[in-house]
Amino acid sequence: FPVTIDLDRYEKALPIDTVPKYWRTAVDLLGEDTLEAHGIVPWYIVFMTKRLEKAFEEKNAPLVLKLSADLGHYVADASVPLHTCSNYNGQFTGQKGIHALWESRIPENHATGFELLAGRAVYIKNLQEEIWNLVEESHACLDSVFEMERLAERQLGESRKYAMVMKGRTPLKSYSPDFVLRYHQLLGNQVERRMERAIQMIASVWYTAWVNAGQPMLEGMPMEALDKDSALLPGE
């Protein structure tokens, strides 16, 4: 099943802001088949966090590392605007390839200038609500994701949109450096801001799972990043 969520698929049945935030309620209202068909990332992150808590409780260091990596992937996915709609690659609007443009080409060309100062991890009291906030923030960016791509093309012209770009030793047709830069500028550093948001959320999800598990020390794993000076404990 896709670990994304096509929020636009729910508009025909009910407004997006009425999609149940909790899995059992959502299943009762919409059915599990419907949910899995349209993506379940907000619910799946909570499920995986529970698994990570259990791995911490059992002091299963290899499983902690695996689940932490998986959770990092899912939370990062939830931070990408195009992962919250069915038009994830611009295939319905004549903008095919926009996914790689937003998620890959901009970071490849400009990430060295990103600050990505995400701040300290914080304990999340209501994980389900906070993950839905993350997804809704991503979804709210969609208009600019699509419109700024069109605007960049109008400004530069179709002839300057693509160029032969080296991928390793292979020349491939891709978005030109000029077009990538213009799109990045028109988005107002949106990719950088979503990356920063993802980093902070990933750290907070890991930290929340560890705190909920009783803050265990795991032999053979460096735990310096989880001390009181580097994160915010509940109630601080």
Side-chain angles (χ1 to χ4, degrees):
F1 49 84
V3 188
T4 54
I5 186 164
D6 298 339
L7 288 174
D8 54 306
R9 296 297 192 188
Y10 294 105
E11 286 287 17
K12 297 175 184 178
L14 70 170
I16 289 172
D17 60 3
T18 65
V19 176
K21 303 299 189 291
Y22 293 87
W23 176 251
R24 184 47 53 194
T25 306
V27 169
D28 291 343
L29 179 64
L30 298 166
E32 193 165 342
D33 290 344
T34 296
L35 296 172
E36 291 187 354
H38 300 327
I40 61 172
V41 70
W43 302 288
Y44 198 65
I45 288 171
V46 175
F47 169 73
M48 291 296 292
T49 303
K50 293 294 184 183
R51 289 190 60 192
L52 179 59
E53 286 178 22
K54 190 171 188 300
F56 272 125
E57 289 172 357
E58 295 173 349
K59 298 187 178 182
N60 186 336
L63 186 57
V64 164
L65 291 174
K66 180 183 183 305
L67 293 175
S68 295
D70 289 344
L71 265 169
H73 185 162
Y74 303 143
V75 173
D77 276 348
S79 306
V80 176
L82 290 161
H83 289 173
T84 68
C85 72
S86 59
N87 190 31
Y88 64 91
N89 197 29
Q91 69 273 24
F92 301 142
T93 52
Q95 297 170 285
K96 191 173 182 180
I98 195 171
H99 187 278
L101 172 62
W102 192 98
E103 189 176 272
S104 299
R105 294 287 284 132
I106 288 178
E108 287 170 358
N109 287 23
H110 301 289
T112 54
F114 292 0
E115 290 189 4
L116 302 179
L117 300 176
R120 298 189 297 176
V122 298
Y123 180 80
I124 302 172
K125 293 181 179 179
N126 189 324
L127 180 60
Q128 190 70 81
E129 291 288 341
E130 193 61 30
I131 293 300
W132 270 99
N133 288 341
L134 178 70
V135 169
E136 289 168 358
E137 288 171 13
S138 297
H139 193 67
C141 295
L142 277 175
D143 286 350
S144 58
V145 169
F146 292 116
E147 182 53 39
M148 293 306 104
E149 192 272 350
R150 296 187 187 96
L151 180 56
E153 183 173 342
R154 290 197 298 270
Q155 290 182 351
L156 295 182
E158 188 174 356
S159 63
R160 294 178 63 191
K161 184 172 183 177
Y162 299 102
M164 297 305 294
V165 177
M166 296 300 295
K167 292 288 186 179
R169 298 183 179 181
T170 305
L172 297 172
K173 182 181 179 181
S174 184
Y175 296 98
S176 71
D178 286 347
F179 187 83
V180 175
L181 175 59
R182 182 59 57 86
Y183 184 50
H184 176 47
Q185 292 171 334
L186 289 170
L187 286 173
N189 298 322
Q190 182 189 78
V191 175
E192 178 181 359
R193 287 183 278 108
R194 295 313 295 160
M195 287 178 68
E196 183 176 324
R197 179 77 163 98
I199 291 167
Q200 202 278 335
M201 178 61 77
I202 290 166
S204 295
V205 169
W206 290 342
Y207 180 64
T208 298
W210 177 72
V211 170
N212 288 346
Q215 306 175 39
M217 300 299 291
L218 306 184
E219 290 188 16
M221 289 184 64
M223 301 300 286
E224 292 84 356
L226 292 173
D227 63 23
K228 190 173 180 180
D229 293 330
S230 64
L232 295 180
L233 289 162
E236 292 188 342

